[in-house]
């Protein structure tokens, strides 16, 4: 992110380029992408198990509570989809490869930083709960952030070195020196502030012989940023003699930063400097390179988007988006974060990037399981705007409409072509999708997930989408889920309802004691899982597949204007808890013993299990390692398996009448139960 080597360079000159700041009583514009990555990676959160979303949500809440305590009014600005020019595609692919390597490292017990799959959605849900103002830009947000901060005369909070180049009136506060955990009080008062450091572009220019700050965008593109990577620039850098000035002992990148800034400081303005750059290049390349450099330098100029209008009046006008003539409801939903950047990438570029999780790299990537959902999403996006027909896409007129997906293949990436599903006429016009009845939208969602409406009737509305997605997941053979995986997942879903019971206003409610005991037991399981526990790769992969199903199920639900309520992700899935429960269920703990302390949780679990079990294959209910032998033996003895049965024919009555009906037995006990049934 940003200019290579610049952030570490300016931090090495902290005393010269930064001033101490006591942040309070002000608006602040926050780079949302940088913030949620910082909070995810710098809060000692467990990253191997697919995300402890409850812990992450707590950290985000504490961050904003620190701001509120200091009377700081935050405005969060999130990046949207990729620019229609696709100028960052190479950078994005490079990062996708890096993420695969880090995910692999985490999967085998090494280090690395990989955001859990649903972290952005969790972050947005916390912003909504805390009533923090936020906007999701149509594409990259940096220029819009700069323009808004200058309009309001307030600082920017980010970790992106591009903000060392933007001419910000009130400066840029890097996240790594923003001490939000260390709220302080002004002596003799009750006024609180957050200690921070503020970068000064004027101080940087003074240090380099009072250079013209208008030269900094040229410095950024010569140094190499996310938008430009011209190999021919190496020709320039190899020929020009860059004056180092002070000794550079920090390696090649610092050498380049220091040398370029010293060299540029000799020129009066960008035009003069650019002419001097071009003279080092072959004549045949000069005009083309000049055009590319000038275009890239424009990225550091003021944006035409007025985010203040969105925050004040709810109107978001982005010229690049308006030129595409997309449906108004889509633009509004994107700005409000009600649609993901995944949707805008598919809509505008017909290309999406599928993010790698900490999964088994020897298996096909976890996103394969949700491909049928994505094909329906792509089908809904086919007829969005006549202006998009001019974009160069994969499909020829005689072929089915195609989308490309950048996905993991082993430990590298590959672009795969995926055909959209052509949907019935009712769903063929994106601009009129919101006008469809709730029933029609719900039918498409549930048919895509292969779930019948009737099984959702006993399920609380907040969990209907989760149950539907879990049913879809269980129906796919790729998942290879076992009984203990399903049990652990459904137990994890109880955390949200338990939290509601515990924090209900009615403190005399007897339900609270049992709920609190179960909640605390879950917390113990979660804490025991974290330190140095070896990752079960197959289990991790199975839960990664479930998250992929949930992600795409949510995106489809959003695109259909939420025919099912969006689930609260903040207390829905805790990877450490679910993996810990898997281990316990494989040994001695049973669901029944866990839930005995809280009848309400037990009843909800039974509803969840009863809904999902009818979509599971019979193999789900066989103990680990028994599947193949059981299939052979049942085939030999002519025992038939029904979709709704979970054991042999002879134990069906026991299953429906006893606790087995809801998966309350341990896997070991279930194994004994099946063996006895076969002996009968």
């Amino acid at each position: 992110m940003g200019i290579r080597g610049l952030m570490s360079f300016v931090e090495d000159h902290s005393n010269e380029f930064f001033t101490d700041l006591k942040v309070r009583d002000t608006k602040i514009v926050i780079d949302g992408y940088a913030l949620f990555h910082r909070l995810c990676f710098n809060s000692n959160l467990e990253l191997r198990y697919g995300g402890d979303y409850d812990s992450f949500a707590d950290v985000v809440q504490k961050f904003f509570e620190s701001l509120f305590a200091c009377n700081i009014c935050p405005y969060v600005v999130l990046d949207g989809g990729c620019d229609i020019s696709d100028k960052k595609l190479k950078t994005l692919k490079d990062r996708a490869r890096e993420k695969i390597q880090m995910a692999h490292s985490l999967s085998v017990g090494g280090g690395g930083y990989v955001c859990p799959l649903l972290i952005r959605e969790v972050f947005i849900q916390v912003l909504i709960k805390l009533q923090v103002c936020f906007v999701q830009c149509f594409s990259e947000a940096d220029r819009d952030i700069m323009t808004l901060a200058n309009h309001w005369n307030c600082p920017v909070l980010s970790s992106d070195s591009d903000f060392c180049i933007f001419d910000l009136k009130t400066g840029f506060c890097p996240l790594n020196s923003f001490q939000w955990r260390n709220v302080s009080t002004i002596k003799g008062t009750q006024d609180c502030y957050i200690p921070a450091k503020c970068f000064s572009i004027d101080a940087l220019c003074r240090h380099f012989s009072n250079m013209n700050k208008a030269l900094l965008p040229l410095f950024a593109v010569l140094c190499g940023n996310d938008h430009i990577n011209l190999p021919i620039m190496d020709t320039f850098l190899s020929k020009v003699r860059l004056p180092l000035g002070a000794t550079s002992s920090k390696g090649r990148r610092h050498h380049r930063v220091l040398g370029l800034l010293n060299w540029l400081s000799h020129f009066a303005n960008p035009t003069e400097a650019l002419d001097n750059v071009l003279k080092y290049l072959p004549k045949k390349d000069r005009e083309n390179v000049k055009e590319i450099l000038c275009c890239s330098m424009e990225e550091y100029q003021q944006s035409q988007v007025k985010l203040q209008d969105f925050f004040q009046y709810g109107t978001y006008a982005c010229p690049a988006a308006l030129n595409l003539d997309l449906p108004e409801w889509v633009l509004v939903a994107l700005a409000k974060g009600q649609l993901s950047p995944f949707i805008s990438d598919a809509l505008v570029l017909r290309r999406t990037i599928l993010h790698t999780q900490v999964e088994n790299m020897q298996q096909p990537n976890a996103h394969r399981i949700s491909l049928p959902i994505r094909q329906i999403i792509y089908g809904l996006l086919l007829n969005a705007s006549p202006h998009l027909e001019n974009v160069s896409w994969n499909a020829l007129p005689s072929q089915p409409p195609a989308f490309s997906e950048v996905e993991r293949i082993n430990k590298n990436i590959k672009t795969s072509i995926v055909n959209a599903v052509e949907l019935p006429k009712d769903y063929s016009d994106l601009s009129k999708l919101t006008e469809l009845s709730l029933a029609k939208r719900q039918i498409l969602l549930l048919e895509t997930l292969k779930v019948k409406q009737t099984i959702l009737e006993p399920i609380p509305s907040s969990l209907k989408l989760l149950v539907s997605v879990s049913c879809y997941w269980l129906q796919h053979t790729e998942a290879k889920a076992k009984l203990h995986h399903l049990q652990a997942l459904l137990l994890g879903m109880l955390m949200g309802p338990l939290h509601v019971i515990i924090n209900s206003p009615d403190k005399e409610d007897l339900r609270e004691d049992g709920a609190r005991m179960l909640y605390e037991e879950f917390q113990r399981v979660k804490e025991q899982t974290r330190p140095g526990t070896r990752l079960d790769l197959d289990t991790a992969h199975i839960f990664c597949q479930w998250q992929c199903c949930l992600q795409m199920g949510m995106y489809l639900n959003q695109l259909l204007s939420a025919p099912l309520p969006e689930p609260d992700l903040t207390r829905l899935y805790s990877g450490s808890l679910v993996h810990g429960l898997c281990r316990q269920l494989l040994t001695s703990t049973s669901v029944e013993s866990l839930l005995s302390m809280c009848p309400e949780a037990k009843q909800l679990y039974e509803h969840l299990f009863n809904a999902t079990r009818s979509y599971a294959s019979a193999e789900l209910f066989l103990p680990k390692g028994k599947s193949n032998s059981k299939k052979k033996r049942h085939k030999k003895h002519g025992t038939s398996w029904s979709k709704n049965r979970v054991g042999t024919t002879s134990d069906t009555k026991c299953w429906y009448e006893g606790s087995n009906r809801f998966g309350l037995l341990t896997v070991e006990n279930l194994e004994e139960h099946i063996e006895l049934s076969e002996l009968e």
Side-chain angles (χ1 to χ4, degrees):
M1 192 157 57
I3 296 105
R4 295 157 204 155
L6 179 59
M7 203 70 221
S8 58
F9 174 79
V10 297
E11 284 172 348
D12 277 358
H13 295 75
S14 179
N15 293 335
E16 298 161 80
F17 303 152
F18 290 87
T19 56
D20 290 330
L21 205 61
K22 295 177 178 178
V23 186
R24 66 185 181 95
D25 303 325
T26 182
K27 291 176 178 175
I28 191 166
V29 181
I30 300 176
D31 176 349
Y33 179 90
L35 176 62
F36 74 70
H37 277 77
R38 179 84 190 177
L39 295 180
C40 181
F41 297 151
N42 291 74
S43 302
N44 197 31
L45 300 180
E46 179 57 72
L47 298 175
R48 293 178 301 156
Y49 298 112
D52 286 351
Y53 294 126
D54 52 346
S55 301
F56 173 71
D58 289 342
V59 170
V60 176
Q61 180 162 335
K62 286 173 186 171
F63 173 85
F64 285 104
E65 284 172 350
S66 293
L67 268 57
F68 300 151
C70 302
N71 197 28
I72 300 168
C73 186
Y75 290 85
V76 176
V77 183
L78 288 156
D79 289 327
C82 300
D83 190 279
I84 195 166
S85 68
D86 237 1
K87 57 196 167 194
K88 280 182 69 171
L89 182 58
K90 183 184 182 301
T91 300
L92 292 170
K93 285 186 173 181
D94 288 344
R95 286 187 192 153
R97 290 186 188 94
E98 289 168 11
K99 188 179 286 188
I100 289 168
Q101 296 308 315
M102 284 196 280
H104 173 65
S105 174
L106 284 166
S107 74
V108 295
Y113 296 99
V114 176
C115 269
L117 190 66
L118 300 170
I119 203 88
R120 182 191 181 98
E121 282 70 33
V122 174
F123 181 67
I124 287 175
Q125 286 190 353
V126 178
L127 296 181
I128 292 168
K129 282 183 184 177
L130 297 176
Q131 297 184 310
V132 173
C133 296
F134 75 95
V135 64
Q136 181 173 270
C137 295
F138 188 68
S139 54
E140 192 161 306
D142 289 1
R143 292 173 68 192
D144 299 345
I145 290 172
M146 177 266 287
T147 306
L148 179 64
N150 280 345
H151 177 80
W152 279 340
N153 220 14
C154 69
V156 166
L157 185 62
S158 178
S159 55
D160 189 340
S161 55
D162 277 326
F163 290 104
C164 295
I165 305 299
F166 288 116
D167 189 5
L168 291 161
K169 293 178 184 176
T170 318
F172 153 52
C173 296
L175 275 161
N176 61 356
S177 56
F178 189 75
Q179 299 177 50
W180 63 272
R181 288 186 173 95
N182 185 28
V183 173
S184 306
T185 307
I186 296 172
K187 283 185 180 178
T189 73
Q190 293 184 327
D191 296 334
C192 297
Y193 67 88
I194 294 175
K197 290 189 177 295
C198 188
F199 174 79
S200 166
I201 193 173
D202 293 324
L204 176 73
C205 290
R206 274 197 305 273
H207 181 81
F208 289 97
S209 309
N210 289 314
M211 74 181 287
N212 182 351
K213 67 176 75 172
L215 288 160
L216 289 177
L218 179 58
F219 157 75
V221 298
L222 291 177
C223 204
N225 64 10
D226 288 348
H227 301 293
I228 188 166
N229 184 26
L230 281 176
I232 201 166
M233 282 296 96
D234 291 333
T235 305
F236 157 70
L237 291 166
S238 66
K239 290 182 178 178
V240 67
R241 297 186 64 182
L242 297 178
L244 279 183
T247 306
S248 173
S249 59
K250 290 286 182 175
R252 185 168 168 265
R253 283 189 177 174
H254 276 217
H255 182 103
R256 178 180 287 194
V257 168
L258 186 61
L260 275 172
L261 287 169
N262 272 316
W263 185 76
L264 285 168
S265 68
H266 293 97
F267 302 106
N269 55 58
T271 303
E272 183 186 341
L274 186 56
D275 288 342
N276 273 272
V277 169
L278 295 173
K279 75 180 186 183
Y280 289 97
L281 304 180
K283 286 185 179 179
K284 63 181 178 62
D285 296 320
R286 288 177 188 175
E287 277 307 309
N288 184 41
V289 170
K290 182 177 182 179
E291 186 179 342
I292 292 170
L293 292 177
C294 288
C295 184
S296 298
M297 288 163 64
E298 280 294 315
E299 293 298 322
Y300 294 95
Q301 303 308 311
Q302 185 161 304
S303 166
Q304 293 178 282
V305 178
K306 296 179 179 178
L307 290 183
Q308 63 270 22
D309 288 349
F310 177 82
F311 289 122
Q312 289 173 313
Y313 312 117
T315 56
Y316 179 82
C318 170
L322 293 173
N323 289 341
L324 295 172
D325 196 28
L326 297 172
E328 177 67 19
W329 78 265
V330 171
L331 295 177
V332 171
L334 285 168
K336 291 182 176 179
Q338 294 165 351
L339 287 176
S340 164
F342 174 91
I343 297 296
S344 56
D345 282 348
L347 188 57
V348 175
L349 300 172
R350 289 208 177 176
R351 190 213 63 233
T352 56
I353 296 176
L354 306 176
H355 296 290
T356 301
Q357 302 170 79
V358 182
E359 56 193 75
N360 189 337
M361 300 293 165
Q362 294 179 340
Q363 292 191 32
N365 80 74
H367 288 279
R368 288 290 178 92
I369 194 171
S370 58
L371 175 59
I373 308 176
R374 294 198 300 280
Q375 288 179 296
I376 296 293
I377 291 173
Y378 299 152
L380 289 168
L381 300 177
L382 281 179
N383 301 308
S385 164
H387 292 260
L388 292 174
E389 291 172 6
N390 300 322
V391 180
S392 177
W393 287 334
N394 305 96
L396 297 172
S398 59
Q399 296 176 322
F403 290 71
S404 60
E405 297 182 337
V406 179
E407 61 174 349
R408 177 185 69 80
I409 301 289
N410 298 319
K411 293 181 198 169
N412 209 332
I413 60 169
K414 176 188 175 184
T415 301
S416 302
I417 303 303
V418 173
N419 291 330
V421 170
E422 296 197 53
L423 296 166
K425 190 176 179 182
D426 283 350
Y427 305 100
S428 64
D429 187 346
L430 184 64
S431 65
K432 295 179 180 176
L433 197 56
T434 53
E435 298 170 19
L436 288 180
S437 67
L438 173 63
K440 280 192 174 181
R441 288 180 282 119
Q442 198 170 92
I443 285 169
L444 179 60
L445 176 66
L446 295 181
E447 283 187 353
T448 303
L449 299 177
K450 302 176 186 174
V451 176
K452 291 180 180 177
Q453 172 76 40
T454 50
I455 69 118
L456 299 177
E457 286 170 6
I459 307 298
S461 60
S462 60
L463 296 176
K464 286 183 190 293
L465 184 60
L466 292 176
V467 168
S468 302
V469 163
S470 300
C471 291
Y472 172 92
W473 168 70
L474 286 171
Q475 292 175 75
H476 282 260
T477 53
E478 299 102 310
K480 296 184 173 65
K482 301 291 183 191
L483 177 60
H484 63 287
H485 296 129
L486 176 60
Q487 290 173 320
L489 197 56
L490 298 181
L491 287 170
M493 290 181 193
L494 301 178
M495 286 291 275
L498 287 171
H499 190 262
V500 170
I501 293 172
I502 293 166
N503 294 284
S504 62
D506 185 5
K507 295 297 179 186
E508 295 178 6
D509 194 333
L510 293 176
R511 299 183 307 164
E512 188 189 331
D513 292 337
R516 189 178 297 279
M517 287 170 62
L518 182 57
Y519 191 85
E520 288 171 357
E521 177 59 28
F522 282 163
Q523 291 292 359
R524 277 192 290 274
V525 173
K526 180 180 170 183
E527 289 305 315
Q528 288 167 4
T529 308
R530 290 190 62 184
T533 315
R534 191 179 69 83
L535 181 68
D536 181 329
L537 261 186
D538 289 336
T539 292
H541 200 82
I542 286 164
F543 289 136
C544 284
Q545 290 171 317
W546 178 81
Q547 283 209 62
C548 291
C549 296
L550 177 56
Q551 182 190 46
M552 291 305 154
M554 282 185 63
Y555 290 173
L556 176 57
N557 191 53
Q558 289 173 348
L559 192 55
L560 293 169
S561 301
L564 292 180
E566 186 161 297
D568 179 0
L569 298 176
T570 60
R571 299 197 183 275
L572 160 72
Y573 179 85
S574 170
S576 296
L577 170 63
V578 173
H579 278 254
L581 287 168
C582 271
R583 291 190 187 95
Q584 290 199 9
L585 292 166
L586 273 171
T587 53
S588 57
T589 305
S590 71
V591 175
E592 191 167 33
S593 64
L594 267 174
L595 298 181
S596 60
M597 61 188 85
C598 184
E600 290 74 26
K602 182 179 177 183
Q603 184 181 39
L604 176 56
Y605 173 88
E606 288 173 351
H607 285 314
L608 298 176
F609 187 86
N610 204 27
T612 51
R613 70 174 175 84
S614 57
Y615 286 88
S617 68
E619 280 194 30
L620 180 88
F621 302 99
L622 290 173
K624 193 174 182 181
K626 299 281 180 178
S627 301
N628 291 334
S629 62
K630 296 295 173 204
K631 272 196 285 190
K632 288 174 186 173
R633 285 156 75 180
H634 284 292
K635 189 174 181 181
K636 180 179 176 183
H637 294 293
T639 307
S640 62
W641 286 82
S642 150
K643 200 173 190 182
N644 291 327
R645 291 175 181 169
V646 295
T648 59
T649 306
S650 59
D651 71 359
T652 302
K653 185 178 178 185
C654 171
W655 182 269
Y656 278 101
E657 293 179 357
S659 59
N660 282 15
R661 181 181 178 189
F662 304 111
L664 299 176
L665 293 177
T666 65
V667 171
E668 285 182 346
N669 289 340
L670 180 63
E671 181 174 344
E672 290 173 20
H673 175 68
I674 291 173
E675 297 289 357
L676 286 170
S677 299
E678 288 179 341
L679 288 173
E680 290 171 6

